């Protein structure tokens, strides 16, 4: 490789600075607090003790000003949306039950009150939510409708004589399911229900419904059940809620986007029920962003554990009798180093997402809001699937030691496992991303159903996706003779990703247009292709973000190391999908094989820096105190 | 596709008959017993209660004649090795802690006494082991040496004056680690230690060492620690053992392969220490075979749960307002159906392996023994990695419901997770397979170290691996015009697998021969290629076994269904590795894309039979009683 070598020693603090970016100071504060003994992990606690500990830790967080970050300064908040998300994400280094509980309280519950409610709700509740005087739930998911929340069954029927809404679960499928904070601690719930007034259903709206009285008993008409043991996250008190004709006052409706007058007259600035609901949902993307980010932090922690172990564990002898450090094996490097490169890549893409969320002006055009929702959905899916896969790999890379709870990977695996299917099922989310691309954000696309995807495409597909795009023309200028260097050319890598995205998208669009009249069958026959379109779009976003972060790195040595790591991300991603590139004439056989050789070479080149690279994450040492690392 | 359609209804019992094969009667007996309430699962038990329940269940098993299957009829056994393995495997449908505990007691501990000991050991112990009067451990793995057991540190030094062996742990790395049955119940351990006599080390041998006295306290000089909480398998009492100059009589040596005379003279029919140790290990492959098989049963259970759920769960509406059954989505079929096909494929390969183990004559040539060891290693690796991946997929396919412990997938995931790294780390095992192929079993290959691999190859590589093999010539006769039918031609599929195996193997051999003089570097630079050679070899074995099983299926309707399922296994395997086939000119671009289209078509064709296919596994209903399936 005709590229400058990485210096023998790179300062991990320089990597930390590059990783921490815009909210570096806040991140330092969180790390400092998380180092306290009271934020210790959970090995050995039973569910009740674990829940108690998490609530205690939540109160410790409430004593800082970080819960205020995400809220309006008019009510004691700090108007720092990005900081709020960062502070949730960082909890992903520690007990993920705390991350989820904090996310439910301040992100989902508090966020819904702020973003779906109006001044009277803010005045009455926001301070109490921030300081934990009021614990709450976000009751959207139902037993019968998890992904397809637009069709949930709970009803809230307005009763003009009493000026009340009657909240009701009409069937077992309407039971609110997996509701965090419900089984033990929650007092008030934001309940999503079909609003009915004047005998007419108006779609899903959010209502504030007390679920417990002062004594902690279930409120009249409310039945609360504990979801019981879960694979992980047992410090979160997930519960089921059912409502039997529960009456709440008219102002229980969070009425930013729609209202019901005293006489029952319905009004909303958004005419379509579906569009209104997805506008409401769109305001709530912080939760999805936070889950993706905390999955990233958990992955960083797992890889730190596995790389440190692999860097000291020895097994089998060399000819001279010395035992080989396992991370010196190519096979072991292949397991951990591409995963590490992808973790960096996703981190930088996440940083950009958080910044974009933070900087989104309240009066931004709707397309910008849609683009942000799409990016949040795609990155959440890719980040959480990567967490599932990388944490699994990390466990296996530590052998039997990785299986002992004391070595921390067991809980990491179990706790993060649900991330791929909560806050939006990843498959549904990737579909959403593809749909956004297909309709080029010209229409509101957030309706999650496949049917809507097919309909939009059939009716509104725009023709901006072209073969022989700029990316394609660039790639065609290259010849076989460029092989020696082109793999490490960032522009080549980025154009290759861009070209793949454009081609996959245009070909899926063509297949959808050619389809028969049965919209479901049309969509379903190309679903694998649609999902691919979503994935390769995210791949492109991620590589571009990594490339920008390398460019922005202030320390020259760290920048050289990140350059090679970005190569490893790009080339291992190309390698994994090289069948596609071969099938579509984007890689020759020779260059495809060269990609594999380059990944191997990069593994060898980066191996001496593996410890530095994980130390750059600066995971608080308390969460790395695994006995297997004691020697 | 110009192939006969599968009948609309296929009898699952006919599939069960095809799956159950040679030990069908025994399997029926096990299923009958496992249906009893006392073999219920473990949701909600703490570790101590779980351990107690597993021991109770173990006693229930001891009351049957199945523990006798694996033992010599001279001591009350039934001389049915295959039946013994099958009876362990089948426990994989239920609580995997019981499977492991039974495997430790009768497979590893009892097996070592039988296979490494001689008549006096058999006379003294076998009956008591079968009836659980004597609970034991298999103490091989050490803290410092898990995969590289040849270099473990525990010593057993013969002391002629007292005619005793002194068993000792000389350093912390010598601590016996993850030893099943040690923390709570075991009385006697088979301890693997470096035998030292006359001042000379003779390599690893096995010794019977009491670890607890009559009262249950640790025996003098023995320290027992509990490994504590694990990700799963918490019904197994894994422990750590250290020995401080523990004295055992001379006949504690399991002396089938080597002996020490009263005066300390060492004798063995096998000269090389390494070769002797690996001959000993080779006799103990039943454990590895059982783990692979029980991973298969656990996978069958997980896929049964996920397919049944996917066959009733509805989400999102069709244009007519009807909600779509999620298994009707191509994306969902893509997750579950290729995994189901592979599960069938691995089942049939496992059946053949068990039969080969059963039928191996005591005086079989060493090459046959080596081939069996290699097959056991390879299938264990592929079976357990498939379990990890398929159970993960099953969990995700059930969304949040799959995350609740009550729905059974959480424990399945956690319990099977360690299978990929115990009873031989999968990466090490695949390397072993490749080494066997490279040396064509001409030399004893079971030494696990990469160094030995490189050395064998450099010194002894045989030239039987040829390009333009029979498989290659067959494939070259086909032209593009055969595209429409060739993908579904079993011979084409099998020859393609065979040709890939031969090419990967010959090319890795060439790379090893061309390497420099540093054996470690030579080996390490091609380790990814070596692992590929192991994997594609197993792929070929598995497809061949599936094809034979289809041929042997007695029911014509079931046979047609299995024919299509075998196509799905073959084509989804080709699809996953199509980059290799494209890079090596084995698939044209057109045919490669046709493979993807064929997998989609097969998913659609098999979807109506998905429920039948999982019902064919005949998993006892008690282990499928997930609330999420109640409606």
């Amino acid at each position: 490789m005709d590229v400058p070598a990485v210096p023998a020693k790179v300062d991990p603090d320089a990597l930390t600075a590059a990783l921490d970016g815009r909210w570096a100071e806040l991140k330092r504060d969180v790390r400092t607090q998380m180092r306290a003994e009271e934020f210790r992990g959970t090995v050995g606690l039973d569910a009740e003790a674990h829940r108690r500990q998490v609530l205690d830790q939540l109160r410790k967080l409430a004593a800082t000003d970080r819960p205020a970050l995400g809220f309006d300064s008019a009510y004691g908040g700090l108007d720092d949306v990005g900081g709020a998300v960062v502070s949730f994400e960082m909890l992903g280094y520690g007990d993920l039950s705390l991350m989820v509980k904090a996310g439910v309280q301040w992100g989902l519950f508090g966020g819904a009150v702020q973003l779906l409610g109006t001044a009277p709700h803010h005045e009455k509740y926001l301070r109490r939510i921030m300081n934990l005087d009021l614990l709450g739930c976000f009751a959207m998911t139902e037993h019968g409708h998890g992904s397809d929340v637009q069709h949930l069954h709970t009803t809230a029927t307005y009763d003009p004589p009493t000026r009340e809404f009657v909240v009701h679960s009409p069937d077992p499928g309407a039971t609110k399911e997996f509701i965090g904070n419900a089984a033990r601690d929650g007092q008030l719930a934001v309940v999503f229900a079909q609003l009915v007034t004047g005998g007419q259903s108006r779609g899903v709206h959010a209502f504030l419904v007390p679920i417990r009285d002062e004594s902690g008993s279930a409120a009249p008409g409310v039945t609360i059940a504990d979801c019981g043991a879960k694979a992980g996250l047992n410090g979160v008190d997930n519960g089921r809620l059912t409502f039997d004709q529960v009456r709440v006052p008219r102002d229980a409706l969070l009425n930013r986007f729609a209202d019901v007058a005293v006489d029952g007259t319905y009004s909303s600035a958004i005419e379509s029920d579906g569009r209104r609901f997805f506008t409401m949902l769109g305001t709530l993307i912080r939760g999805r962003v936070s889950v993706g980010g905390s999955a990233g932090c958990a992955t960083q922690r797992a890889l730190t554990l596995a790389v440190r172990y692999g860097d000291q564990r020895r097994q089998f002898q060399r000819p001279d009798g010395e035992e080989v450090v396992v991370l010196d094996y190519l096979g072991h490097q292949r397991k951990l180093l591409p995963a590490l490169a992808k973790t960096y890549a996703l981190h930088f893409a996440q940083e950009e997402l958080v910044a974009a969320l933070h900087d989104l002006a309240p009066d931004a055009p709707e397309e910008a809001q849609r683009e942000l929702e799409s990016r949040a959905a795609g990155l959440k899916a890719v980040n959480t699937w990567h967490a599932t896969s990388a944490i699994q790999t990390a466990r296996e890379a530590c052998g039997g030691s990785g299986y002992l709870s004391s070595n921390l990977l067991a809980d990491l695996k179990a706790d993060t496992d649900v991330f791929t299917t909560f806050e939006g099922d990843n498959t549904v989310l990737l579909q959403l991303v593809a749909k956004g691309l297909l309709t080029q954000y010209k229409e509101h696309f957030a309706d999650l159903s496949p049917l809507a995807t097919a309909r939009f495409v059939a009716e509104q597909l725009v023709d901006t996706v072209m073969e022989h795009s700029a990316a394609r023309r660039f790639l065609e200028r290259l010849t076989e003779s460029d092989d020696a260097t082109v793999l490490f050319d960032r522009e080549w890598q980025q154009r290759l990703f861009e070209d793949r995205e454009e081609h996959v998208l245009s070909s899926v669009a063509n297949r959808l247009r050619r389809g028969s009249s049965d919209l479901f069958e049309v969509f379903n026959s190309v679903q694998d292709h649609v999902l691919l379109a979503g994935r390769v779009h995210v791949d492109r976003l991620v590589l571009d973000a990594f490339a920008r972060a390398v460019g922005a790195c202030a320390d020259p040595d760290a920048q050289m190391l990140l350059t090679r790591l970005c190569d490893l991300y790009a080339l291992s991603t190309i390698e994994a999908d090289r069948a596609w590139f071969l099938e579509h004439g984007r890689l020759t056989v020779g260059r495809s094989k060269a990609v594999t050789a380059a990944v191997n070479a990069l593994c060898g080149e980066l191996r001496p820096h593996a410890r530095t690279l994980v130390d750059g994450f600066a995971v608080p040492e308390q969460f790395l105190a695994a006995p297997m690392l004691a020697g």
Side-chain angles (χ1 to χ4, degrees), chain A residues 23 81 121 133 254 272 294 327 336 364 427 470 498 550 556 603 614 627:
Chain A
W23 280 273
V81 173
H121 302 111
D133 184 40
L254 293 174
S272 149
S294 60
L327 196 52
L336 295 177
T427 301
E498 187 185 334
V550 173
C603 282
V614 295

Side-chain angles (χ1 to χ4, degrees), chain A residues 14 30 35 50 101 177 192 254 276 345 349 489 521 538 613 625:
Chain A
V30 178
R35 271 198 283 271
H50 190 182
K101 185 106 172 169
E177 180 72 285
F192 288 82
L254 293 174
R276 184 186 320 108
D489 178 330
E521 290 308 324
V538 178
L613 285 165

Side-chain angles (χ1 to χ4, degrees), chain A residues 20-32:
Chain A
D20 279 3
R22 182 165 163 184
W23 280 273
E25 197 178 335
L26 173 65
K27 289 181 180 178
R28 270 193 301 272
D29 288 350
V30 178
R31 285 195 186 97
T32 300

Side-chain angles (χ1 to χ4, degrees), chain A residues 48 99 153 182 202 204 274 306 319 382 393 448 497 527 570:
Chain A
E48 175 53 27
M99 186 282 291
H153 283 193
R202 299 293 188 160
V204 178
V382 173
T393 300
L448 299 165
F497 278 50
Q527 194 187 13

Side-chain angles (χ1 to χ4, degrees), chain A residues 341 344-345 348-349 541-551 562 565-566 569:
Chain A
Y344 265 79
F348 291 122
L541 289 180
V542 171
L543 177 59
D544 288 352
F546 200 165
R548 277 189 288 269
V550 173
L562 290 176
L565 196 68
C566 187
Y569 169 68

